[in-house]
Amino acid sequence: MFKYFASSLLGLTMLMVPFISQATDDARVTSITMTSQSDTTPAAAATYELTLVTSATITSNEVVNFVVNDGLSVDQTFDFTNTTFTSSTISGTGSAVAYSFFYSITLSSDLAAGTHTITLTDVMNGPSDGSDFYWGANSVALAPNVAVTPDQTPFALGTVSGEPTLIVFGGNIAVSWAAREDAETYGVIISEDENNNDEEVIEVGEGLNYLLSDLDPETTYYIDVVAYDSDGVQFPVAYLEGSTTTEKSIKNTRYSKPTVPKSKIKSTAATVKWTVGDDVDYIDSFSVRLKKGKKTVATYNGIPSDKLQKKLKDLKIESTYTVQVRATYSTDETTKWSKAISFKTKSE
């Protein structure tokens, strides 16, 4: 991702070269990760928390530099003029360099190899919307062809800052998201068109989740989350964007096949177990059906969704049974019975 710094006059004139795929990271900076961003507004002062992993000691009077890249080259619109830093492990003097779009810390003590958290306060965001900004860091003085280790995950300004969590079950999509610090309420936009030409906007309020139900089966939907300020005014662009494809309707879907562990089979009892997926929060209950031959021996309904097993009692010795399971969802939809699994009780 990140390319090399090139400088004709150190700290004065910085010529940015484009990315090249074979660029190497700074050997002593193993990784940099942004863990929080206080404000995504373009041209706003923001606080960024970064995690830096180093592989070797960086000694006193050496430097650690931070920069933002726009996906093609070093971004020259972020301004570190008023930036200060705090860190429990990094000690030194910080200052803006190279027309203020680098932030450099001259260390006052050795920085040992390990994981370091640093907070940069009053970073002036660049003026433009975008979703392809990357933090980078290195540990050498700025000079021609100096490598920078990049964050592997981009961050955004004024636009998409990630994806909502989308859980599909049948023709339903459960949407959830993390709070945006400057938002009061949220809305969900759903569309079958990637450009949202047929969008439907659903006002959610203060909640951080919403269930989209009765959607067309096996259809791709594009889902955005938008945020509103305290006056109910929508921020100019989507907060989060995502897409997913619905499945066959629940009523036409078999639940997954259960198991009857051999260790749980006795002469007159056995325990049937089953698994759940990411949609467990939207399952109301389970049912279990026990058969001997073609005859239904018992049906157990209303098994709580957090209980993934059922003990079958009063069975006959050395007899063969089959058992099936199905789920009922909070949408009042019930799956088809799973495929049957057979087992034989033991002798006394």
Side-chain angles (χ1 to χ4, degrees):
M1 287 183 179
F2 271 78
K3 302 315 158 197
Y4 298 103
F5 293 145
S7 172
S8 58
L9 293 174
L10 296 185
L12 294 177
T13 304
M14 300 297 296
L15 302 177
M16 302 309 151
V17 298
F19 283 173
I20 53 175
S21 60
Q22 66 268 29
T24 57
D25 296 344
D26 184 311
R28 292 189 295 181
V29 178
T30 304
S31 69
I32 178 173
T33 304
M34 188 190 81
T35 54
S36 69
Q37 175 187 15
S38 70
D39 197 329
T40 62
T41 306
T47 297
Y48 291 86
E49 185 177 88
L50 309 171
T51 298
L52 194 72
V53 179
T54 56
S55 61
T57 298
I58 304 172
T59 60
S60 178
N61 293 321
E62 289 193 280
V63 296
V64 177
N65 300 306
F66 297 89
V67 68
V68 174
N69 189 276
D70 64 7
L72 295 174
S73 61
V74 172
D75 190 289
Q76 301 182 38
T77 64
F78 279 72
D79 190 332
F80 295 98
T81 299
N82 298 315
T83 300
T84 58
F85 81 93
T86 56
S87 174
S88 62
T89 56
I90 302 174
S91 300
T93 302
S95 62
V97 296
Y99 294 117
S100 301
F101 50 84
F102 287 91
Y103 188 70
S104 182
I105 299 174
T106 302
L107 299 177
S108 58
S109 61
D110 289 355
L111 181 63
T115 300
H116 311 279
T117 299
I118 182 171
T119 300
L120 300 180
T121 304
D122 284 336
V123 175
M124 187 64 68
N125 289 337
S128 302
D129 290 356
S131 58
D132 197 23
F133 297 104
Y134 298 82
W135 278 97
N138 77 346
S139 64
V140 293
L142 302 180
N145 298 326
V146 173
V148 178
T149 300
D151 191 348
Q152 298 300 314
T153 303
F155 69 94
L157 289 183
T159 183
V160 180
S161 58
E163 298 182 7
T165 299
L166 305 175
I167 297 175
V168 175
F169 55 100
N172 311 284
I173 303 174
V175 188
S176 60
W177 56 92
R180 173 172 169 155
E181 184 173 333
D182 52 357
E184 293 291 331
T185 59
Y186 301 90
V188 172
I189 298 175
I190 180 171
S191 174
E192 292 183 40
D193 181 81
E194 186 173 6
N195 297 314
N196 292 334
N197 290 324
D198 59 347
E199 67 182 34
E200 177 187 356
V201 182
I202 302 165
E203 304 301 337
V204 176
E206 297 179 356
L208 298 177
N209 57 78
Y210 190 81
L211 179 61
L212 299 164
S213 300
D214 299 321
L215 304 176
D216 293 332
E218 300 177 302
T219 301
T220 297
Y221 287 92
Y222 298 89
I223 298 168
D224 297 352
V225 177
V226 294
Y228 303 89
D229 64 19
S230 57
D231 295 322
V233 177
Q234 181 183 321
F235 290 100
V237 287
Y239 171 34
L240 305 168
E241 289 183 356
S243 65
T244 192
T245 302
T246 54
E247 303 166 340
K248 293 190 298 183
S249 63
I250 287 176
K251 66 180 181 180
N252 294 325
T253 304
R254 285 186 183 274
Y255 202 74
S256 55
K257 190 176 179 179
T259 60
V260 181
K262 289 184 179 180
S263 61
K264 297 294 183 179
I265 300 175
K266 309 300 179 183
S267 59
T268 60
T271 299
V272 57
K273 297 184 176 183
W274 56 92
T275 59
V276 293
D278 293 337
D279 59 0
V280 59
D281 290 339
Y282 304 94
I283 296 176
D284 270 353
S285 63
F286 293 99
S287 298
V288 170
R289 183 166 69 182
L290 178 68
K291 286 187 173 183
K292 191 173 187 297
K294 294 184 178 181
K295 181 181 178 181
T296 298
V297 175
T299 302
Y300 308 93
N301 294 316
I303 301 171
S305 59
D306 60 351
K307 186 176 181 181
L308 304 180
Q309 63 181 34
K310 176 66 179 177
K311 188 172 184 179
L312 310 172
K313 300 178 180 180
D314 300 323
L315 306 181
K316 295 185 180 297
I317 298 172
E318 291 189 282
S319 296
T320 299
Y321 293 88
T322 59
V323 65
Q324 298 166 283
V325 65
R326 69 181 180 188
T328 298
Y329 284 78
S330 58
T331 54
D332 293 328
E333 301 170 281
T334 300
T335 66
K336 297 168 66 175
W337 289 106
S338 68
K339 291 184 178 180
I341 183 170
S342 63
F343 67 94
K344 185 177 181 179
T345 55
K346 295 180 178 181
S347 60
E348 288 187 298

